[in-house]
Amino acid sequence: MSVDGEPLMTLSTDPWMPNRMCVASNGDILVTQVSSFEKRLADTAGIVSRYTTHGKRMVTVERDRFGNTICPKFIAASRVSDLVVVTTLTNEENGGYNGHVVVMTGDLQVKFRYLSDGRVIPGDQQYHPDISTKHFCADSQDNIILGAVNLGSIEIIDKHGHKLKHLGQVDDMGCLAISRDNELWVGKTKGQVEVFKYT
């Protein structure tokens, strides 16, 4: 849309419904899409797509090279490279969804998976989706900022999955964002935003 609210372009994602979006370093639009917002996770499929700024779909991924579904939710892209980070949904437990972080190349091939226990599984290795917990993610300068909502912990890993820093405990975490000045903004479920300088 333009700044005055006029649509510049319309494109169809049918039968998929857009869930989360972000902009890649070259201006492409990355979108996670799901088959339903109402069905239980076991019945819900999901994909990641990359579009040009003119709305042309370049690539779509639903499964990794082993046939495991990606089932994506949150997505972030590097400002300086083709790195793409996706938070997956893999199973439901105690009313919340579990998942892990998938780091992908610009053509949406899995580089590695990062689990909540710090394990890194390369993209060319088989993954069994019963051993991970949910993370929210954003990245800056190819470092990836991970917030474990259920634990309230924030950690930073590099683009290879190596742990760089643990930022400690943040209660009531709801979402993360990185400013252009590399400040970490944490949205809290009790109606507050806290800003941290982590470099």
Side-chain angles (χ1 to χ4, degrees):
M1 301 182 103
S2 64
V3 291
D4 58 2
E6 291 297 317
L8 299 174
M9 174 181 54
T10 301
L11 61 100
S12 173
T13 61
D14 187 60
W16 301 97
M17 293 179 287
N19 191 19
R20 298 290 195 279
M21 296 182 284
C22 71
V23 179
S25 59
N26 70 346
D28 288 348
I29 310 298
L30 294 153
V31 186
T32 63
Q33 300 169 66
V34 294
S35 61
S36 172
F37 289 126
E38 298 176 358
K39 293 180 181 178
R40 293 177 60 84
L41 181 61
D43 301 320
T44 301
I47 61 174
V48 183
S49 294
R50 187 177 189 120
Y51 295 86
T52 67
T53 54
H54 301 292
K56 180 181 178 182
R57 186 168 59 189
M58 297 165 39
V59 61
T60 292
V61 173
E62 180 179 359
R63 298 176 182 275
D64 66 15
R65 67 191 73 182
F66 298 103
N68 297 314
T69 56
I70 300 292
C71 205
K73 185 169 185 180
F74 295 95
I75 188 165
S78 169
R79 298 178 197 152
V80 297
S81 76
D82 67 351
L83 190 75
V84 178
V85 186
V86 174
T87 303
T88 68
L89 301 174
T90 49
N91 55 67
E92 186 177 9
E93 184 178 293
N94 300 325
Y97 291 111
N98 291 336
H100 60 278
V101 170
V102 178
V103 178
M104 308 172 102
T105 60
D107 60 356
L108 304 183
Q109 296 299 307
V110 177
K111 289 182 68 173
F112 65 86
R113 299 172 186 269
Y114 186 82
L115 307 186
S116 61
D117 60 5
R119 279 185 296 150
V120 176
I121 299 177
D124 59 359
Q125 289 185 16
Q126 179 64 276
Y127 166 72
H128 301 286
D130 57 345
I131 50 175
S132 55
T133 47
K134 183 177 179 181
H135 275 64
F136 286 60
C137 64
D139 66 338
S140 173
Q141 297 182 351
D142 281 356
N143 292 327
I144 302 165
I145 317 302
L146 305 172
V149 174
N150 55 339
L151 301 174
S153 65
I154 297 176
E155 59 187 0
I156 302 172
I157 63 173
D158 67 14
K159 63 183 178 182
H160 305 292
H162 302 128
K163 192 170 180 177
L164 300 176
K165 188 180 290 189
H166 184 269
L167 298 183
Q169 188 78 16
V170 178
D171 295 328
D172 307 314
M173 187 191 319
C175 58
L176 300 175
I178 303 294
S179 75
R180 291 187 180 275
D181 299 324
N182 285 328
E183 293 175 338
L184 174 63
W185 290 52
V186 181
K188 307 184 82 172
T189 58
K190 294 187 176 178
Q192 299 172 319
V193 175
E194 291 186 350
V195 181
F196 300 88
K197 192 76 172 177
Y198 65 89
T199 57

